[in-house]
Amino acid sequence: VTPRSAASTRCYSSETKTDGGNNNKFYITTPIYYVNDKPHIGHAYTTIACDILARYERLKGNDVLFVTGTDEHGQKVQQSAEKAGKTPQEFVNDVSANFRTLADNLECSHDIFIRTTEERHKEAATALWKMLEEKGQIYLGYYEGWYSVRDETYYKESELVDGKAPTGAEVEWVVKEPSYFFKLSEWQQPLLDFYERNPDFLQPANRKAEVVNFVSGGLQDLSISRTTFDWGVPVPGDEEKRHVMYVWIDALTNYLTATGFPWNDDDDDDDSSKFWPPSMHVMGKDILRFHAVYWPALLMAAGLEPPKSVFAHGWWMRDGQKMSKSIGNVIDPMDLLQKYGVDQTRYFLASSVSFGDDGDYNEEAMLTACNGVLANGLGNLAQRSLSLCFKNCEKSLPQKPEDDKLTEKDRKLLKDAEELFSVVDKSVASKQLHNYCKNIHFFVKDANVYIDGEAPWSLKKTDPDRMKVVLWVVLESVRRVAIMLQPVMPTAMKSLLDQLRIGESDRTFANLESSELQAEDITKPVAVFPRVEAETSSTA
């Protein structure tokens, strides 16, 4: 493949700021997950967070590209395949299917699922390599140093802790292995300048010092090929046909692959590059360096625009302990979905930890989210108000009341409902997904206080007109909440909006103001959030 130069609007210069010129486009990615083992709660968390943000941007009317997938090359995968008695391709086919199934079961709305063993990806990786080569950024040499197969990462001597990688992984000494190198050392100052010009690139803000300190400490040229195994993308032009690309060079290129790279800029009808650069790469904090240092350096070296931002979230623990197979406390996300439900699991993971910090899973907190927050909160508010309409309003929703029929308490709740989206939008803009959920929860609590105080169930005989006003105020508030929570709990909110008789085309954020609850016939209400019972243990 002969790579074509990127369109001028996608090219990098020393003065580039990551505004991208495509403000109505939103391109978000999970990392592509390494297929040496089955998915765990961390994979689910990253994917759900990206899905929430992707759905949110779609509801704002933006053109969204959401990409996830699997990283299927490398020494660790080859070794895992050998242990399983399979060929590498057979092994990755099986494990990649597990990740695809998880994304589907999480009800994620990804547009593309990338596999690095696909031909389109190999073509993209080859094209990027050739662009770097043509710009004099790659040379052949020898690598000697510490390498972790588990992390697929090179480490300096100074980074080792008690003879191991900072992650606790075993390291091995690679003795003078032939390798192609990327001239990373030339990009130390350009990277520091880039971070300075783009203060929102490294997120959350507390990650910035870590990256800047690493780069300021000096960058060594990066070994970007291996010869001791053959499960990888072949290095183009390698006369000995021994070298395969270093797995991270291969993996990071997937973000280009998803946009149709290499782009055909001679074809006016080809707009596949329209989503470049990415709006946001999301990943666990353990792989921030690859996305915040190596990736923008490779792109700048190739003359391509770096992503607008990278966001590193924390790790999940269980009952205060780090999860590990040896302890036996690893959480299978499929178990959570089966026990608690998809929407409940999505809500818990999004709401229970500040996005960026470490999270701690325990069953009590999960049950509180399922029952205390969802079933007793929004679920109860919707169920009892809809049930009153079904029983006492001739199985229909009430008409919007005349303005002079509204009390100060009615106006206060409606005003708070109208202002809620601006509060939510600020939370999402700052990537505080937990505040997104909690601000809505606080409003729902106020709405429950309102309905308890107005007691419409007591107004049927004494003041039926007032009863209808109260129910309209509550259900109009519920309509707004349901629209806003669609990105977090898509299936539950679809059920609730269906019960409110809100049309499919009236569920965007623009409809928060352009539409209102209408008098429509309804069917018997169904609980949106059934209570979840705690597991009981019996002793002999």
Side-chain angles (χ1 to χ4, degrees):
V1 176
T2 302
R4 302 176 178 89
S5 61
S8 59
T9 56
R10 311 294 174 215
C11 287
Y12 172 81
S13 75
S14 60
E15 301 301 318
T16 296
K17 292 182 70 175
T18 57
D19 56 16
N22 53 357
N23 293 330
N24 63 333
K25 304 290 190 295
F26 186 77
Y27 176 18
I28 187 168
T29 70
T30 71
I32 49 172
Y33 302 119
Y34 206 50
V35 294
N36 64 308
D37 207 345
K38 66 179 183 179
H40 54 67
I41 192 173
H43 300 121
Y45 180 60
T46 312
T47 308
I48 288 169
C50 289
D51 185 59
I52 289 171
L53 292 168
R55 288 176 181 272
Y56 191 91
E57 293 297 327
R58 290 190 192 104
L59 287 172
K60 289 184 78 171
N62 291 327
D63 194 1
V64 172
L65 178 63
F66 170 24
V67 176
T68 187
T70 45
D71 177 6
E72 302 180 14
H73 289 131
Q75 187 174 3
K76 185 164 56 173
V77 169
Q78 185 164 320
Q79 290 178 351
S80 296
E82 289 170 358
K83 289 179 183 177
K86 299 178 179 179
T87 67
Q89 189 65 60
E90 289 171 339
F91 180 79
V92 298
N93 286 347
D94 291 342
V95 183
S96 178
N98 293 336
F99 282 89
R100 188 189 290 268
T101 298
L102 175 64
D104 291 341
N105 288 342
L106 291 171
E107 296 182 357
C108 289
S109 60
H110 49 283
D111 300 288
I112 296 175
F113 190 99
I114 286 283
R115 297 184 59 189
T116 57
T117 51
E118 296 177 57
E119 287 304 317
R120 62 172 172 167
H121 174 73
K122 295 175 185 177
E123 179 182 336
T126 299
L128 180 61
W129 184 286
K130 288 185 176 181
M131 289 174 74
L132 291 166
E133 203 169 42
E134 289 172 0
K135 292 181 180 292
Q137 291 294 315
I138 294 177
Y139 65 91
L140 183 61
Y142 290 90
Y143 175 76
E144 188 171 39
W146 294 107
Y147 187 76
S148 165
V149 176
R150 193 187 84 180
D151 296 347
E152 295 286 16
T153 305
Y154 302 99
Y155 289 107
K156 300 176 185 176
E157 182 85 34
S158 60
E159 293 182 280
L160 302 186
V161 180
D162 297 329
K164 294 185 178 181
T167 61
E170 299 290 337
V171 294
E172 59 185 38
W173 183 259
V174 177
V175 181
K176 208 167 185 180
E177 177 184 333
S179 176
Y180 286 93
F181 285 82
F182 165 58
K183 294 180 180 179
L184 181 63
S185 59
E186 293 185 359
W187 294 92
Q188 177 178 343
Q189 193 57 49
L191 279 170
L192 293 173
D193 293 342
F194 173 74
Y195 302 149
E196 185 68 25
R197 286 195 310 275
N198 299 279
D200 294 331
F201 174 72
L202 295 165
Q203 296 185 35
N206 60 5
R207 305 286 182 205
K208 184 172 183 179
E210 170 192 342
V211 173
V212 170
N213 289 340
F214 175 78
V215 175
S216 298
L219 296 176
Q220 299 177 342
D221 289 350
L222 181 66
S223 171
I224 56 172
S225 73
R226 301 296 305 276
T227 59
T228 54
F229 61 93
D230 58 7
W231 183 242
V233 178
V235 168
D238 175 36
E239 294 181 357
E240 297 181 357
K241 301 187 183 302
R242 295 177 57 199
H243 293 261
V244 293
M245 293 183 194
Y246 171 42
V247 65
W248 272 104
I249 304 302
D250 166 8
L252 290 165
T253 307
N254 95 88
Y255 305 129
L256 284 165
T257 306
T259 68
F261 182 84
W263 306 309
N264 184 0
D265 297 318
D266 297 327
D267 184 354
D268 293 337
D269 295 326
D270 183 3
D271 66 347
S272 58
S273 67
K274 70 178 182 177
F275 282 104
W276 197 265
S279 307
M280 188 179 183
H281 290 319
V282 179
M283 77 292 306
K285 62 183 180 181
D286 53 324
I287 56 174
L288 175 60
R289 181 189 303 179
F290 301 97
H291 289 83
V293 180
Y294 303 156
W295 183 226
L298 286 162
L299 290 168
M300 289 190 285
L304 300 173
E305 193 171 350
K308 296 179 185 179
S309 68
V310 296
F311 193 105
H313 64 70
W315 293 331
W316 277 87
M317 297 181 289
R318 183 170 190 173
D319 298 318
Q321 282 187 305
K322 186 176 180 180
M323 294 187 205
S324 73
K325 289 182 178 179
S326 59
I327 297 175
N329 64 347
V330 176
I331 297 172
D332 185 338
M334 299 296 283
D335 292 341
L336 298 182
L337 302 184
Q338 190 170 35
K339 181 177 179 181
Y340 300 105
V342 176
D343 286 306
Q344 291 88 336
T345 299
R346 287 172 62 104
Y347 184 88
F348 171 78
L349 293 177
S351 66
S352 61
V353 60
S354 175
F355 193 41
D357 294 344
D358 289 342
D360 187 15
Y361 174 86
N362 66 78
E363 187 177 24
E364 183 179 355
M366 174 64 105
L367 287 170
T368 297
C370 293
N371 297 331
V373 175
L374 297 178
N376 294 346
L378 179 57
N380 184 42
L381 180 67
Q383 179 73 9
R384 55 181 172 166
S385 51
L386 282 168
S387 294
L388 284 169
C389 290
F390 187 78
K391 293 177 183 177
N392 299 333
C393 300
E394 299 179 349
K395 300 181 181 180
S396 67
L397 300 171
Q399 292 276 1
K400 178 183 178 181
E402 297 295 329
D403 192 62
D404 61 1
K405 299 294 184 182
L406 299 175
T407 67
E408 286 304 311
K409 289 182 179 179
D410 300 339
R411 297 178 197 279
K412 174 68 165 59
L413 189 66
L414 290 172
K415 184 173 184 293
D416 290 346
E418 290 171 5
E419 295 176 350
L420 183 58
F421 179 67
S422 65
V423 176
V424 164
D425 203 38
K426 288 176 183 176
S427 296
V428 176
S430 61
K431 309 303 182 288
Q432 294 299 295
L433 301 184
H434 68 300
N435 283 336
Y436 168 17
C437 297
K438 287 181 179 179
N439 283 319
I440 294 177
H441 173 55
F442 293 149
F443 171 79
V444 169
K445 288 177 71 175
D446 290 342
N448 271 311
V449 169
Y450 165 85
I451 196 172
D452 286 341
E454 298 301 315
W457 43 85
S458 300
L459 294 171
K460 168 64 176 174
K461 294 181 179 179
T462 60
D463 193 345
D465 289 340
R466 175 62 189 158
M467 176 195 69
K468 291 179 181 179
V469 171
V470 171
L471 291 175
W472 188 90
V473 169
V474 170
L475 290 173
E476 167 60 11
S477 300
V478 170
R479 178 190 74 91
R480 288 175 174 270
V481 165
I483 288 175
M484 285 184 268
L485 278 177
Q486 288 176 101
V488 182
M489 299 179 287
T491 299
M493 293 306 98
K494 180 183 184 305
S495 172
L496 184 48
L497 289 165
D498 286 347
Q499 293 186 65
L500 291 170
R501 305 292 289 166
I502 306 300
E504 293 281 352
S505 61
D506 294 326
R507 300 181 182 187
T508 70
F509 291 151
N511 296 120
L512 289 169
E513 301 306 325
S514 66
S515 303
E516 289 178 314
L517 187 75
Q518 301 295 318
E520 298 274 359
D521 292 339
I522 59 172
T523 56
K524 186 175 182 179
V526 177
V528 177
F529 299 113
R531 290 185 61 81
V532 178
E533 299 302 324
E535 286 186 348
T536 57
S537 58
S538 58
T539 56

